[in-house]
Amino acid sequence: MVGMPPYADPTRCPDCGAPLAAAPESCARCGLPLRGETAALLFATLVRADELLAVLRQSPVPASAPGVGAPLRTGHAEGALAARPRRRARLTTASVPQILLGLGVACLLVAALVFLAVTWSALGVGGRTATLAGLTVLAGVLAAGLARRGLRAATEALSLVGLGLLTLDLLGAESAGWLGEVSTPGLLQLVGGVLVATGAATALAARRTPVGALTGAEAVAVLGTALLAVGVAEAEGPEALLRLLATVLAVLVAVAAHRVRLGVVLGGARVVAVASWLALTAYALDRTLGHDLGWRELWLDRQVWPLLAAAALAAAPALASRLSVLQRTGTLAVGHLLVTVALLAPAFGLHPTALTLVAVAVLLGTALLAWLLPRPWAATPCLTWAAAAAAAVGVSALLLVDSTVRLADAALPAWSGRAGDLLPTRATGAVDGPAAWLLPLCVLVLLGTAVAVGRALVPDPVGDPGREDAGSTRSALPGAGAGLSGAVLAASGVAASGVAAMALYPVPLWLVVGALVAGAVGAWRAAMGGRAAVPGGPGTGSAVARTSLAVTAAFLTMAVLVSLHAELLTAVVLCVVLVVATSVHLSAGTEEVSGVAGLVGTATLAGAAWAWGAVADVEPGWVSVSGLAALGAAVLLAPYLPDRWAGVAHRPHARSGSQAGAACSAAVLAAAGTLQSAAGEQSVWAAVHLTVAGAVVTATAVLQADRRVLAWPGGALLAAATWVRLEDLGVSAPEPYTLPTAVTLLAVGLHRLRRDPSSTSLVTLTPGLTLALVPTLLWVLDEPAGVRSLLLGVGCLLLVMSGARTGWTAPLALGAGVGALLLVRLGVPYVGDAVPRWVLIGAAGVLLLAMGTTWERRVADARAVLGYVRALR
């Protein structure tokens, strides 16, 4: 630290650290002003910093008490001081006696157990009695004395010792036979009752002393409550009555604890009461549902009363006005569910169809009850509604999976059947399940009751608790669009469930496909109507339109998948998809929706062409060519549609979507047509496909000013078509493949050079010259003898001469480079025989040494620069 330079250095710039001349106006390197009031204040501050730093270096580190003389931690000083090691956490003073007392309690109880086990048989009746009573009374007296002195921890310990000894007293008395013939449940009842009484009494007595409260004594009372409940429940007698009595006793303890304000006892007794009630409910459900009893056995023979008692206990807290409305309605909901189970218990053994109808009836009844009840209590039947809804959802899911599997089996393998084929009859196991017509019924009831329950629970948006004006105000709210979208989704769900139910019967496959198409058309019409604004605020129509379009897409996707069973079905469905996608593409209000619709439309156009080709049994090559032509016509003619037909569709994003779909579909269509053609004609069809695609892409670049860049891939496709055809004809020389494209590129480059004075020959002529020279050069390097080498050399000479005359870099550089390589290749056979091998090796060594020296020099320069940068202040 002694060698550190001062902060206030008049010979260096305070910002960049550059050396300063005498009395400068500003820094020569960074331009920092060094004259004026601010500069003087900065220099004074730096001088003061040097003085404070010197004082701190000479000052010893003070050993002050915590909190005295604490430094001010701000800025960088806070970060530096925070790096000092923290003081290790030590054991607090208050925790030491707690640990010692806990260990003491454990030792005393263990000692008492050992003493009783060793000396019990040696003591007489009097000795035993005196020992047990004396130890217990001694612990109690000591605990009372410590409580009067306000020593809470010691009082807790001694009171626990006394209560533990009291428990040992009872166990010892039972072991000695002083209590007579006592069963295990009876002993549990006795010990539990004594612990509840003594623990609560000890906790209440401690309130009159300075300690205030004894948590340990209350915990002992909770343990006694649990033992008492278990002992009552396991006693001999009517099991249902005993379980009910155990629950009631735990509830009474909780009520008494609430009255005398024993919080720990109250919480523990509630837990014991809930556990006892759960045991009672489980026993009642097993008794009610586990024996296939009818209404006569359940009600006339009173087999259902434990379940009704459990329901009454669950609903009883609703009478306590101090509880919140949520707690009271929750308890009522549990009671309502148990009563409903008790009423419908015999129905659980019915056929799945009848049981589902019972669940539907429960849904309707609970929804009606929720609608009729006043709002704070409308949630009472919601738990019952949820249970019935779970059953209805399970049945719907089972039927939906069965329908999906049947349709998937019919659709695969693709195009293997006819449109009039019937779906297979359901298997025996499926017939024994719920009826198929339950699927749309369950979906309809689920949606309707969910809406009714939701409207009964959610407050009215306008703040009016009444329901009579709700219908007139909802249509004018800003959320009406969301309501209409939900209505569209609900109607679509019911329609889809109806189609799925239809598929569970042996109907013709075209009927299922027609139903899906009808649902799609209906949603499409809703989307077209949803474009107009409806009451409810701005954007409502667009939300409905988006939802309807999503539903349309889902229905059409399912229709296409199911229609794969037969070519004719697929072709017809794809035509419908094409019409819908084209309509949405032309009439959508946003570019994104129009672009996606255009992509789907062009892809569907390719699929429809292939499907109709399969229906007409046309050769795959001709089908793919027809599809490519149709895609090309769609892409080329789309920009010329009137604006009133395709306003948004003319925008860049929308056009990009349709063109991207056309490109991907064309690639798939061409590949399919080529691969499925005859083996000897695949190359011919590949050339035809490449030619058609190249012509379309090039025409797009010519006709559309913002698509000029497509001229390059268009030319590449045309060149690839030529190359495929030349390969098919057996042409092996490179020039027929490369020279046509090279001449085209050179013509384009020369035109660019003439029209654009700012362009360079390296940019405009290099592609054409490279394609003209490099393939021939590669061929010559392999076979240097022949006319090709002579022509290549003459061409390079002409390029060098023309480049030197015109001043263009590209022909001069490429001609010279290719010519030099050609000369080296022609001279290699002679050089290899005339020049010794050591000369070549030596030349390679000299080259390597030169490279190494240059590298080392550059590394040294880099290190010098790095050292200079590090030296900067």
Side-chain angles (χ1 to χ4, degrees):
M1 287 297 183
V2 178
M4 287 289 293
Y7 289 102
D9 188 358
T11 64
R12 289 188 175 273
C13 175
D15 189 14
C16 64
L20 298 176
E25 293 290 335
S26 61
C27 177
R29 177 184 296 176
C30 64
L32 182 72
L34 300 175
R35 293 299 180 99
E37 237 176 285
T38 305
L41 181 60
L42 174 62
F43 188 79
T45 304
L46 295 177
V47 171
R48 180 59 177 164
D50 289 330
E51 295 174 356
L52 293 176
L53 185 59
V55 173
L56 286 176
R57 287 172 180 167
Q58 297 174 5
S59 300
V61 179
S64 59
V68 180
L72 180 64
R73 301 188 178 184
T74 59
H76 296 288
E78 182 177 358
L81 294 176
R84 298 175 58 185
R86 296 182 179 180
R87 182 175 298 176
R88 182 177 299 176
R90 296 182 179 179
L91 195 64
T92 61
T93 305
S95 62
V96 174
Q98 295 177 359
I99 296 175
L100 296 178
L101 289 172
L103 293 175
V105 170
C107 293
L108 287 177
L109 292 177
V110 172
L113 288 173
V114 173
F115 173 78
L116 291 176
V118 173
T119 63
W120 187 259
S121 59
L123 296 174
V125 175
R128 298 171 186 174
T129 305
T131 301
L132 292 173
L135 292 176
T136 305
V137 171
L138 178 63
V141 171
L142 291 176
L146 293 173
R148 293 190 184 93
R149 297 185 178 184
L151 302 176
R152 179 172 181 177
T155 305
E156 290 272 9
L158 266 299
S159 62
L160 287 177
V161 170
L163 293 173
L165 290 175
L166 179 61
T167 305
L168 293 178
D169 293 345
L170 295 176
L171 295 178
E174 191 276 334
S175 177
W178 293 354
L179 303 178
E181 295 292 334
V182 180
S183 62
T184 301
L187 181 61
L188 291 176
Q189 296 172 20
L190 176 62
V191 174
V194 171
L195 290 181
V196 170
T198 54
T202 303
L204 292 175
R207 289 182 178 178
R208 302 179 180 180
T209 64
V211 299
L214 290 179
T215 304
E218 293 190 43
V220 170
V222 173
L223 176 61
T225 304
L227 295 177
L228 179 61
V230 173
V232 173
E234 298 297 328
E236 295 182 359
E239 185 174 359
L241 183 60
L242 292 175
R243 291 179 182 272
L244 176 61
L245 182 59
T247 306
V248 172
L249 286 176
V251 171
L252 292 177
V253 172
V255 172
H258 174 69
R259 291 289 181 87
V260 296
R261 299 189 303 277
L262 294 178
V264 176
V265 179
L266 175 61
R270 285 177 175 176
V271 173
V272 175
V274 171
S276 302
W277 178 84
L278 290 175
L280 171 64
T281 305
Y283 168 78
L285 290 174
D286 179 70
R287 176 172 173 169
T288 304
L289 304 177
H291 301 86
D292 295 332
L293 301 177
W295 276 283
R296 179 183 178 85
E297 291 84 358
L298 285 176
W299 294 94
L300 295 183
D301 295 342
R302 298 183 299 278
Q303 296 293 325
V304 77
W305 78 263
L307 190 58
L308 296 178
L313 288 176
L319 301 176
S321 59
R322 62 181 180 84
L323 297 179
S324 64
V325 175
L326 181 61
Q327 292 174 331
R328 298 170 71 185
T329 53
T331 58
L332 278 179
V334 175
H336 183 269
L337 175 62
L338 294 180
V339 171
T340 305
V341 171
L343 292 173
L344 302 177
F348 287 93
L350 299 177
H351 188 271
T353 300
L355 184 59
T356 306
L357 291 176
V358 171
V360 169
V362 172
L363 287 174
L364 294 174
T366 51
L368 179 61
L369 184 60
W371 183 264
L372 295 177
L373 287 174
R375 180 147 297 164
W377 307 104
T380 300
C382 288
L383 193 58
T384 306
W385 179 89
V393 168
V395 172
S396 302
L398 179 65
L399 294 174
L400 185 60
V401 169
D402 189 9
S403 175
T404 304
V405 170
R406 287 165 58 83
L407 292 176
D409 292 340
L412 297 175
W415 293 355
S416 59
R418 297 177 301 174
D421 292 343
L422 299 178
L423 288 170
T425 306
R426 297 178 72 186
T428 304
V431 173
D432 293 339
W437 53 267
L438 288 174
L439 179 56
L441 177 63
C442 289
V443 172
L444 180 61
V445 173
L446 280 171
L447 293 174
T449 56
V451 172
V453 172
R455 292 180 64 181
L457 296 179
V458 178
D460 194 38
V462 298
D464 185 7
R467 296 190 179 97
E468 60 275 2
D469 297 332
S472 60
T473 57
R474 282 193 179 95
S475 60
L477 293 174
L484 291 177
S485 300
V488 171
L489 289 176
S492 304
V494 175
S497 63
V499 176
M502 182 192 301
L504 293 173
Y505 294 97
V507 298
L509 195 64
W510 64 263
L511 186 60
V512 178
V513 175
L516 291 172
V517 171
V521 171
W524 170 55
R525 294 302 301 167
M528 295 299 99
R531 290 186 294 119
V534 298
T540 303
S542 61
V544 176
R546 287 194 297 269
T547 304
S548 301
L549 287 179
V551 172
T552 303
F555 271 100
L556 288 178
T557 301
M558 291 187 290
V560 170
L561 293 177
V562 176
S563 69
L564 293 177
H565 179 77
E567 300 96 327
L568 182 59
L569 280 177
T570 305
V572 173
V573 173
L574 288 178
C575 288
V576 176
V577 176
L578 179 60
V579 172
V580 173
T582 304
S583 172
V584 175
H585 174 63
L586 297 178
S587 60
T590 60
E591 295 183 43
E592 291 76 10
V593 176
S594 180
V596 172
L599 188 149
V600 174
T602 50
T604 305
L605 178 60
W610 189 265
W612 282 112
V615 172
D617 198 16
V618 181
E619 187 178 352
W622 289 110
V623 174
S624 57
V625 169
S626 302
L628 292 176
L631 290 173
V635 171
L636 294 176
L637 297 178
Y640 300 100
L641 292 174
D643 289 338
R644 66 177 183 275
W645 289 1
V648 177
H650 287 329
R651 296 180 184 176
H653 288 338
R655 290 170 53 204
S656 298
S658 59
Q659 291 173 356
C664 297
S665 303
V668 175
L669 199 60
T674 301
L675 295 176
Q676 294 195 15
S677 300
E681 299 178 355
Q682 289 184 351
S683 60
V684 177
W685 284 115
V688 173
H689 295 150
L690 290 172
T691 302
V692 175
V696 172
V697 175
T698 306
T700 303
V702 172
L703 296 175
Q704 301 178 20
D706 58 344
R707 297 292 189 265
R708 300 299 190 202
V709 71
L710 295 179
W712 297 102
L717 289 173
L718 292 174
T722 305
W723 294 350
V724 170
R725 190 57 183 157
L726 290 173
E727 175 68 23
D728 189 44
L729 296 176
V731 177
S732 58
E735 288 78 12
Y737 294 89
T738 59
L739 286 181
T741 306
V743 171
T744 303
L745 293 175
L746 287 174
V748 174
L750 291 173
H751 178 71
R752 176 69 180 277
L753 278 175
R754 292 182 60 186
R755 298 291 298 273
D756 188 4
S758 64
S759 61
T760 62
S761 62
L762 288 176
V763 176
T764 58
L765 300 181
T766 299
L769 292 176
T770 302
L771 188 59
L773 297 177
V774 173
T776 304
L777 174 64
L778 296 177
W779 200 277
V780 169
L781 292 178
D782 184 56
E783 297 180 3
V787 181
R788 182 177 282 106
S789 300
L790 177 61
L791 294 177
L792 181 61
V794 173
C796 291
L797 180 60
L798 293 175
L799 287 175
V800 171
M801 293 174 62
S802 62
R805 182 176 179 83
T806 59
W808 292 345
T809 306
L812 180 62
L814 287 174
V818 174
L821 291 175
L822 178 61
L823 291 176
V824 171
R825 178 64 183 89
L826 292 175
V828 163
Y830 306 101
V831 174
D833 296 337
V835 180
R837 299 295 177 89
W838 62 269
V839 176
L840 297 177
I841 298 174
V846 172
L847 179 61
L848 292 175
L849 286 175
M851 293 177 61
T853 303
T854 304
W855 187 282
E856 184 179 6
R857 185 175 69 250
R858 291 180 177 177
V859 170
D861 294 342
R863 289 177 177 173
V865 173
L866 183 60
Y868 176 75
V869 173
R870 288 179 176 174
L872 294 177
R873 186 166 183 257

